[in-house]
Amino acid sequence: MTTHHLALNAELPAAVNGTAPDWVELIPAGPKVVGRDARSWLFDDTASQSVLGDFTERGTQLPTDWEHATQHRAPKRVDAPAAAWIDRLVMRDGALWAHVEWTSRASH
């Protein structure tokens, strides 16, 4: 099985009534996306369909964690708690959005 990792640093909107948002934009509309660190990548129709297809094929939720703990801590069998679980991905006007189920620790 091939494993693909996607590391994103998304700024969340302010919590409403002390609650984190249910939907978060992960990747803005492309085709050229430039990150905060000036790296850029292509996020066109082909790339977006690939991401959606891989997510659907995987058939499981994606963890959202702190400081890349899933990649760095978990392989060492060190606690790597999830902040949330992404259970749906959708495209909205060329941008990738995720539906997020927050853990109690991260939801406030």
Side-chain angles (χ1 to χ4, degrees):
M1 177 174 115
T2 302
T3 302
H4 301 276
H5 298 283
L6 178 62
L8 300 170
N9 183 10
E11 283 193 37
L12 299 178
V16 177
N17 297 322
T19 304
D22 292 337
W23 287 92
V24 176
E25 183 183 82
L26 297 181
I27 302 176
K32 182 179 180 184
V33 177
V34 178
R36 297 174 94 190
D37 62 0
R39 287 184 289 177
S40 64
W41 66 94
L42 181 67
F43 192 66
D44 60 6
D45 289 337
T46 301
S48 65
Q49 292 308 309
S50 178
V51 169
L52 292 174
D54 286 349
F55 179 79
T56 301
E57 184 178 306
R58 181 180 173 120
T60 187
Q61 297 179 348
L62 294 175
T64 301
D65 59 24
W66 286 277
E67 303 297 331
H68 309 293
T70 304
Q71 287 79 36
H72 298 294
R73 296 174 58 90
K76 297 174 185 171
R77 301 190 184 278
V78 178
D79 190 37
W85 296 91
I86 295 173
D87 62 1
R88 281 180 276 168
L89 293 178
V90 298
M91 296 301 298
R92 295 183 185 167
D93 298 322
L96 180 67
W97 285 77
H99 182 262
V100 182
E101 293 287 335
W102 298 98
T103 63
S104 60
R105 178 179 171 193
S107 65
H108 303 288

